[in-house]
Amino acid sequence: AIVGTLFNNTGRKNAMLMGMSIVQPKLDALVSTAADILAKTKSCSPTTDTTRTGNSNDSDDENDNDVLLLHCWRGGMRSCALAFLVQTRIPGLTVYVLKDGYKSFRKWQYN
């Protein structure tokens, strides 16, 4: 209600600034949570043998980056925005978003 009232009384720019100041702590917490999850999964990962087999087709490129699979209930703009934010704030992270969200996945699963 605060942002909408500010928008009506003072315009878009002030409303956008107020909205960002309201959501900034939540966004920081989400990025921190993602970093914590990545750290925990790294500590639980089995160690891998780093010796090469000599096969020229071997590639470790897929293991160089951390991967985060992200979904929300319906998918769309918010989950893509969060994926962008997390990926830009955590170096070396690749983020995949479940297309159309968990709700569509469940629907597909039961069909």
Side-chain angles (χ1 to χ4, degrees), residues 46-52 60:
T47 57
T48 57
D49 183 7
T50 57
T51 59
R52 305 290 288 181
D60 289 337

Side-chain angles (χ1 to χ4, degrees), residues 29-41 68 86 89-90 93:
L30 290 170
V31 170
S32 179
T33 299
D36 290 346
I37 290 168
L38 288 170
K40 286 178 185 175
T41 58
L68 178 68
V86 171
R89 298 272 300 271
I90 302 175
L93 180 65

